[in-house]
Amino acid sequence: GRSSGLGPGLPAERRSKLLCHVLEAEGAHEISETIGFAFNCAYQKFLQHNGIDEESLAVSDYADILSVQRMPQDDLKEFVSKEGEKEFEVNKRRGEILGVSVMDSGWGSLVPSIMVVHLQPGGAVQRSGVLNVGDQITMINNKSLVGLSLTNSMDILKTTRSLTKVNFRVVKTTPVLDVNIVRPDNKFPLGFSVADGTVTSLLRGSIGERGGIRVGHRIIEMNGQSTINMPPAQLIDMLQEKTGHIQLKTMPLHMFRIVTGQLIPEYV
């Protein structure tokens, strides 16, 4: 691969550790081609739905837009920072559940893990006072949860029921994300789809992804205006027409439904 150009003389404060998770599988080339074809089909559908002529979008034009769009790195900084990652021990009664409701961090997150969305009142985790809503759990009793499915992560959490002490490694993050998108003209697609105020799909390499959009997140604010009670069609119209700096606030839909009383949390 290419050298990063980071020599041994680089100051300590600028050094970073990058952890890569690689999936090996037979037919990896065919899998990647299939995924690429699926994204291309989705992109064509997106252009057709919004009445955009693909020929009007020069590759160089879109590349120029991407070059000025800053990639969000706040959560990545937290993961590589020793101050951002914490280890805790939770004491509980044998046979007691942890009392935490979790979900996956969402497609678009730089480090896939599980996120705390609710704490059971009086439960073991809440009594400990060490975890908060929005924290991302990366390890339980020396078992990494990074990159695992939500089902597999929950299975690991459930195995702690017979224990009286559970060790957590978490990254302190906020449950509400700030999304900042630069769009000089609405001929440039944002690269994501929204249904009932929630992001349902995301085009890799789009200005939406670069701005910090995540699949499965509910848009709760746009340029300072609350979108919680906004009709879905009105939000879509605003997203289609808005140009310049588009500032959104989003949070996981699962968490949004719990906070607004639409969903009863499931604890493990």
Side-chain angles (χ1 to χ4, degrees):
R2 296 177 57 187
S3 169
S4 64
L6 301 180
L10 188 66
E13 63 271 17
R14 293 179 56 193
R15 294 179 183 271
S16 296
K17 179 178 69 175
L18 181 62
L19 180 64
C20 297
H21 293 267
V22 181
L23 172 66
E24 279 192 45
E26 292 185 5
H29 179 68
E30 289 77 7
I31 293 174
S32 64
E33 283 191 337
T34 301
I35 294 174
F37 177 75
F39 274 113
N40 183 60
C41 289
Y43 179 65
Q44 297 299 327
K45 290 286 186 181
F46 179 86
L47 294 179
Q48 292 173 12
H49 178 75
N50 290 279
I52 299 173
D53 181 9
E54 186 177 15
E55 294 182 357
S56 68
L57 292 176
V59 175
S60 59
D61 290 344
Y62 201 71
D64 290 341
I65 301 304
L66 291 176
S67 67
V68 300
Q69 178 70 67
R70 185 182 67 86
M71 288 284 286
Q73 297 181 347
D74 292 342
D75 54 349
L76 184 59
K77 289 178 181 177
E78 293 295 336
F79 273 88
V80 300
S81 168
K82 290 299 182 183
E83 291 74 23
E85 190 173 52
K86 305 290 184 181
E87 293 191 12
F88 304 108
E89 183 177 84
V90 173
N91 296 305
K92 67 182 193 65
R93 296 182 292 272
R94 194 179 303 277
E96 181 185 20
I97 64 173
L98 290 167
V100 60
S101 180
V102 299
M103 63 166 290
D104 58 64
S105 57
W107 181 28
S109 58
L110 295 177
V111 182
S113 60
I114 61 171
M115 176 183 291
V116 177
V117 296
H118 204 264
L119 302 178
Q120 182 182 32
V125 169
Q126 189 190 56
R127 293 197 308 269
S128 71
V130 296
L131 266 72
N132 296 304
V133 171
D135 289 349
Q136 295 192 42
I137 305 173
T138 59
M139 189 172 290
I140 292 283
N141 290 341
N142 294 320
K143 293 181 179 179
S144 175
L145 304 185
V146 176
L148 296 184
S149 68
L150 179 60
T151 300
N152 289 341
S153 295
M154 290 184 68
D155 286 342
I156 292 175
L157 289 172
K158 290 175 182 178
T159 63
T160 65
R161 188 163 188 162
S162 61
L163 305 177
T164 58
K165 293 183 178 181
V166 182
N167 293 310
F168 284 83
R169 182 178 294 174
V170 305
V171 175
K172 295 291 184 178
T173 56
T174 174
V176 177
L177 297 182
D178 291 315
V179 177
N180 293 284
I181 300 173
V182 179
R183 186 194 199 189
D185 192 295
N186 59 15
K187 74 176 183 179
F188 298 104
L190 293 172
F192 61 91
S193 299
V194 175
D196 294 326
T198 301
V199 180
T200 57
S201 63
L202 175 64
L203 186 67
R204 289 297 191 189
S206 64
I207 56 177
E209 184 194 30
R210 283 180 171 257
I213 282 290
R214 294 187 186 180
V215 171
H217 273 228
R218 176 68 155 79
I219 300 174
I220 60 175
E221 185 178 298
M222 178 174 176
N223 287 2
Q225 179 180 356
S226 174
T227 61
I228 293 176
N229 296 315
M230 183 179 292
Q234 182 181 347
L235 174 59
I236 291 176
D237 288 343
M238 289 175 61
L239 288 169
Q240 289 177 336
E241 297 171 3
K242 184 64 178 176
T243 58
H245 288 272
I246 304 174
Q247 297 178 321
L248 306 173
K249 289 187 182 295
T250 73
M251 68 186 305
L253 177 61
H254 188 78
M255 186 184 299
F256 175 80
R257 286 177 172 170
I258 290 176
V259 170
T260 54
Q262 302 175 49
L263 188 68
I264 298 176
E266 176 185 352
Y267 300 109
V268 292

